[in-house]
Every structure is written in C-alpha cells, then in structure tokens.
C-alpha cells in the first residue's frame, strides 16, 4: 500500500520529534564554544631573496652501490646482512678503522657476528626463545635483525638493516639503512644515523623515532620512497609529544619478523613491527 506525501511528511516529523526528545533525555545538544576565525597565511619579509641552495646537507637522494656484494637471483633474502655491514666498513675506513676512527668499536665487535644477526637487546622479552638464543650466540655483534618489505613497489622485497655505531660521539647511536636491487646490484637508497628509540615500516616509508632534550617529546622522521629520485627522501621531520611521557610501544608478541638472509619475507602491506635496538 502506497503512502501519500502528507502522510509520509507527518511520519517524518513525528520521527524527528521523537529523536529530539531522545536527545533531550540524554542531555541534549551542547555548544562547543566559539569557532576561531580562519586566517590566511601571512608571508613575512617578501623582499627577502629566496635561497638558492640548502644550508645543511642531510644526504637526501644519496644512493650508493655496495661493492663486493652480489645478489643471487635479485633476492635480498639470500644476501648476508653481516657481509653488507662489513662492505660498508671497508668502503669507509676513515670512520671505522684505526685507533682514532669514530666507530672503531663497531669494527672490533664485528668479529662476534654470525650470519644470523641478533634480534636486538637481550632484555626484549617480546622476542621468542630462538631470538634470545641468537642474541647469546652473536654476543656483542652490532648488527641488528634484518627486515624484509617491498618499499619501492617493484614487487620484490627490500632490506631494512640497522647496526650500532660504537663508540661514537653520542651513546646509543644506531645506523639505519635501506637496500634495494638495481640492475642486479645491491643499491643503498637510504642512510641515517641517530639515537634511535624505535623504527617502523609503513607502506613505502621508514619512520624513525628519536629522543628529544625536551621531556615528554620525541623527534619523528619519515623517509619515503620516491620513484623519480629512486631513493628514500625525508618527507616528514617533526617533534611530537609522547603519550603521557611514555616511550613508543614495544612490538607485539604475535608479530612475525624475519631473522636472517634465508628467512621468509613479509611482503604484506600491514605495518611492520617496531625495532627497538
């Protein structure tokens, strides 16, 4: 049976009235206060000549072919992460070799490395028994557990690798590297060193969190793959307040992470676990 327009209108009015009464029973609508007036950006010093070159070099789009490392079948999971770090040490002897080298202790501790790097500090109770065994076997090896994820969008996994820089000018300094395969060569597409609180993978990005001198604040840097530059570019650099002054969350115990060059890759688009070195 069809309902005429006046009847439908009357029903709608009745429903709205009942809804209004229900809202009134729940306390009714409340104003959120006055809305700030929108203002457009104000340009300062328009007569100032725009800068033509950057003041600081943060190594954006700085890529480097890793010499001495082959990638069997263009599969990064078949490359030994420890060998990659040793290749970087060999390529930069000024930083790593000799009694006055800033990261000389990193070189000394490489002797303790096996082909399967440690998952992180032994105090990470979210890791399983195998990860704890790896930590014991590796001893003081500075190379952290590798992670495999397609960051470049070419359908193949890329490698995110971290290793401790010791002794360095600052404590807890960690190197974060991203590698891909280009023309059958191992290509480093991102390099960053900092005091790291956590590292996350999200989509095509690497997110690095670092402590700040200000209490309850941290730095958050996001590096994102740029297909034109064929490199990871620094796309976000910000200071954020931590939740109630607490450090970033630890990885979930249920999260699966790869632990060596022969491990199964995780190409899923879901965010990877944070690595807390």
């Amino acid at each position: 049976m069809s309902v005429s327009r006046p009847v439908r209108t009357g029903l709608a009015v009745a429903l709205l009235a009942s809804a209004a009464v229900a809202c009134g029973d729940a306390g009714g609508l409340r104003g959120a206060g006055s809305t700030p007036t929108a203002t457009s950006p104000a340009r300062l010093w328009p007569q100032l000549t725009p800068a033509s070159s950057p003041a600081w070099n943060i190594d954006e789009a700085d890529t480097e072919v890793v010499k001495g490392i082959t990638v069997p079948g263009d599969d990064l999971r078949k490359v030994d992460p420890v060998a990659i770090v040793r290749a970087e040490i060999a390529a930069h002897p000024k930083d790593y070799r000799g009694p006055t080298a800033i990261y000389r202790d990193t070189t000394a501790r490489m002797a303790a490395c096996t082909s399967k790097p440690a998952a992180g500090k032994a105090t990470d109770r979210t890791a399983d028994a195998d990860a704890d065994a790896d930590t014991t076997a590796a001893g003081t090896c500075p190379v952290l557990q590798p992670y495999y994820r397609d960051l470049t969008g070419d359908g193949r996994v890329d490698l995110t690798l971290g290793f401790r820089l010791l002794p360095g000018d600052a404590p807890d300094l960690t190197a974060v590297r991203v590698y891909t395969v280009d023309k059958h060569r191992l290509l480093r597409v991102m390099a960053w060193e900092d005091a790291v609180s956590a590292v996350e993978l999200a989509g095509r990005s690497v997110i690095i969190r670092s402590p700040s001198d200000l209490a309850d604040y941290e730095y958050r840097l996001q590096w994102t793959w740029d297909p034109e530059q064929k490199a990871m570019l620094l796309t976000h650099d910000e200071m954020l307040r931590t939740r109630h002054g607490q450090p970033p969350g630890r990885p979930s115990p249920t999260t699966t992470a790869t632990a060596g060059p022969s491990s199964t890759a995780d190409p899923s688009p879901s965010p990877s676990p944070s690595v807390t070195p």
Side-chain angles (χ1 to χ4, degrees):
M1 179 180 67
S2 62
V3 181
S4 64
R5 176 178 294 179
V7 173
R8 290 199 300 268
T9 302
L11 289 174
V13 171
L15 289 173
L16 290 174
S18 62
V21 170
C23 290
D25 292 341
L29 299 176
R30 296 182 180 180
S34 59
T35 302
T37 303
T39 58
S40 60
R43 182 182 178 185
L44 306 184
W45 308 303
Q47 74 281 5
L48 188 66
T49 303
S52 59
S53 60
W56 296 282
N57 179 20
I58 58 173
D59 297 331
E60 287 196 50
D62 182 19
T63 62
E64 180 178 304
V65 175
V66 181
K67 297 180 180 180
I69 301 293
T70 59
V71 186
D74 290 347
D75 188 353
L76 284 173
R77 291 166 295 191
K78 297 180 180 179
V79 181
D80 184 359
V82 174
I84 296 176
V85 177
R86 288 192 172 119
E88 177 165 333
I89 292 174
H92 303 87
K94 182 178 178 180
D95 294 332
Y96 294 98
R97 297 190 182 280
T100 60
I102 187 172
Y103 305 133
R104 59 190 178 275
D105 286 358
T106 296
T107 304
R109 296 189 185 188
M110 290 298 294
C113 294
T114 65
S115 61
K116 190 175 183 181
K121 289 184 178 180
T123 54
D124 186 355
R125 293 297 96 192
T126 61
D128 56 20
D130 290 339
D132 288 338
D134 293 341
T135 302
T136 302
T140 57
C141 175
V143 184
L144 303 176
Q145 178 182 0
Y147 284 82
Y148 300 90
R149 173 77 66 87
D150 181 9
L151 296 173
T152 61
D154 62 359
R156 298 178 303 195
V157 295
D158 303 297
L159 168 62
T160 303
L161 186 61
F163 57 96
R164 305 303 304 274
L165 296 173
L166 305 164
D169 291 332
D172 297 327
L173 200 61
T174 302
V176 180
R177 304 285 189 262
V178 175
Y179 301 91
T180 190
V181 178
D182 179 67
K183 299 177 181 178
H184 312 297
R185 304 170 302 175
L186 181 64
L187 182 67
R188 191 192 69 196
V189 294
M190 185 201 122
W192 188 250
E193 298 86 30
D194 208 341
V196 173
S197 300
V199 179
E200 300 166 337
L201 301 182
R204 301 286 180 257
S205 298
V206 178
I207 301 170
I208 301 176
R209 300 177 184 271
S210 300
S212 166
D213 289 334
L214 296 178
D216 300 344
Y217 282 85
E218 69 176 4
Y219 294 107
R220 181 183 182 274
L221 279 67
Q222 179 172 328
W223 301 78
T224 305
W225 172 254
D226 187 293
E228 294 184 3
Q229 297 295 329
K230 295 186 181 300
M232 305 289 291
L233 301 184
L234 181 59
T235 53
H236 292 81
D237 183 357
E238 55 189 344
M239 177 181 284
L240 299 174
R241 185 174 179 85
T242 59
R243 183 182 302 177
H244 307 300
Q246 297 299 318
R250 298 165 67 95
S252 170
T254 59
T255 302
T256 300
T258 54
S262 61
S263 302
T264 303
D266 176 18
S268 63
S270 59
S272 282
S274 302
V275 184
T276 308

